[in-house]
Amino acid sequence: MSNLERRPAELVAECEAADGAGIVLLQPRDVPLGGPRAMPVHRTLPQRSKSTIGGWCFLDHYGPDDVSVTGGMRVPPHPHTGLQTVSWLFQGEIEHRDSVGSHAMVRPGELNLMTAGHGISHSEDSTPETTVLHGAQLWLALPDASREQAPFFERTVPSPVSIGDGVVARVFIGELAGASARATVFSPLVGAQLDLYAGGSVDLDVPAAFEHGILLDLGDIAVEGVEVPHRHLAYVPPGRSRLRLSSVGGARILLLGGEPLGEQIVMWWNFIGRSHDEIVASREQWQHEVIDGADTAGRFGAVADYPGRPLPAPTMPTVRLKPRQ
């Protein structure tokens, strides 16, 4: 998904203080995407005080939304650099097209992973059959050694596996509880949907070098005994080799994690780079090659058969962009 904010801001939501177990609750920031019937999303990454969890650097949670009210997802072709987009749905269907020729449907329980590398453009539209849209859009920052590679697209379908006491996991990135994902990533990471039945609990063996985030989508969840409010992201710093999750009435969560990225990145609009000047250059290239039509076979390519114009980039801020870590 694109970041459709017309004035992308560096100042984002604050987080609550850590509790005695070291768990920090990150509050969502409500962001309307689109026009008069804006589709609302709830953004928990990036935060002013926490920009990344491993390589995870962007998390929009949305729905369940009545498409007849919001208009659904309508995201024209737009660019990305230096990242991977991770699309994960709970309900509905989204049509994906990109400039390397991929045409795929995003459906519940199926991972669509797009590696932007040096540069790509893509579009995302909910299908006419979709009446309710509910899911998450995430980005992974590519480490410096991998971020200039050629773009590509993958689709995988993780199998559900039973773990713990009344818990089902779908591991779509990395490894967890003996299950491994087939998706290609470029740093040590994990991403999974966990469904806990009423009274369900699990003690997860996790790498002590990883930091983790747990997003509550439905129901109730406690992380190491700390209750997580709806749509919040519970941040767990590195150092734990076991992570306890429990639910009274049942829950659906996203578990994200990875080794701290250890690199400073500059994020603005749909670009990830390493400096203000690099972001400026990417924006100018998108505007010149694609929006002005100078070279649609250039860095970002063109999305074939899309019935509309690509998305112009917002105006750059008047101050230099600061790196995040």
Side-chain angles (χ1 to χ4, degrees):
M1 184 190 296
S2 170
N3 178 5
L4 293 182
E5 290 182 286
R6 298 310 300 163
R7 292 182 176 84
E10 288 196 278
L11 181 63
V12 292
E14 300 288 350
C15 64
E16 298 178 8
D19 84 311
I23 310 298
V24 178
L25 297 177
L26 304 178
Q27 303 175 33
R29 176 170 66 99
D30 292 345
V31 179
L33 298 186
R37 295 195 304 169
M39 173 183 162
V41 300
H42 312 281
R43 187 164 298 162
T44 47
L45 283 179
Q47 299 262 353
R48 183 186 181 103
S49 58
K50 189 63 188 170
S51 298
T52 59
I53 297 177
W56 301 98
C57 62
F58 183 91
L59 170 52
D60 275 356
H61 177 225
Y62 55 89
D65 292 330
D66 183 343
V67 169
S68 68
V69 175
T70 66
M73 186 180 293
R74 297 287 178 265
V75 185
H78 57 281
H80 286 294
T81 62
L83 57 84
Q84 294 178 287
T85 63
V86 178
S87 300
W88 188 258
L89 275 180
F90 303 123
Q91 194 171 358
E93 184 180 62
I94 296 170
E95 184 177 22
H96 164 98
R97 297 177 186 270
D98 64 41
S99 56
V100 298
S102 311
H103 181 203
M105 297 299 175
V106 186
R107 299 187 176 100
E110 302 176 1
L111 173 71
N112 275 21
L113 178 67
M114 186 182 75
T115 300
H118 180 65
I120 198 171
S121 58
H122 75 137
S123 63
E124 297 157 294
D125 293 297
S126 49
T127 60
E129 296 77 17
T130 297
T131 57
V132 176
L133 200 57
H134 188 184
Q137 182 66 47
L138 309 102
W139 296 355
L140 286 165
L142 289 170
D144 191 57
S146 304
R147 68 190 183 94
E148 291 295 332
Q149 66 185 285
F152 63 96
F153 176 85
E154 292 176 274
R155 174 184 173 275
T156 62
V157 183
S159 300
V161 295
S162 297
I163 59 174
D165 180 15
V167 182
V168 175
R170 290 171 174 83
V171 181
F172 51 83
I173 296 287
E175 299 180 358
L176 183 72
S180 299
R182 301 192 307 275
T184 304
V185 291
F186 298 88
S187 59
L189 293 161
V190 65
Q193 174 184 322
L194 271 61
D195 297 276
L196 285 77
Y197 302 127
S201 64
V202 64
D203 289 298
L204 293 172
D205 291 324
V206 294
F210 276 28
E211 53 187 344
H212 291 88
I214 296 92
L215 176 78
L216 178 60
D217 173 60
L218 292 175
D220 68 271
I221 193 72
V223 179
E224 293 292 334
V226 178
E227 295 184 2
V228 181
H230 184 221
R231 300 192 189 282
H232 283 52
L233 186 67
Y235 171 69
V236 185
R240 292 180 180 272
S241 59
R242 181 160 289 195
L243 194 58
R244 181 166 181 78
L245 307 174
S246 58
S247 178
V248 175
R252 181 166 65 200
I253 66 171
L254 290 181
L255 171 72
L256 312 173
E259 291 185 5
L261 187 61
E263 299 178 11
Q264 288 192 332
I265 62 175
V266 177
M267 293 180 60
W268 181 82
W269 195 45
N270 297 301
F271 303 123
I272 293 183
R274 294 300 185 273
S275 70
H276 172 91
D277 293 338
E278 185 181 329
I279 298 296
V280 170
S282 296
R283 181 195 179 277
E284 290 179 351
Q285 197 165 2
W286 170 255
Q287 291 294 113
H288 178 65
E289 291 183 354
V290 180
I291 301 303
D292 297 339
D295 185 6
T296 55
R299 177 181 183 181
F300 299 102
V303 178
D305 301 324
Y306 187 82
R309 293 278 299 158
L311 193 65
T315 302
M316 289 292 299
T318 57
V319 297
R320 291 185 67 83
L321 299 170
K322 298 176 182 178
R324 304 171 182 269
Q325 188 168 11

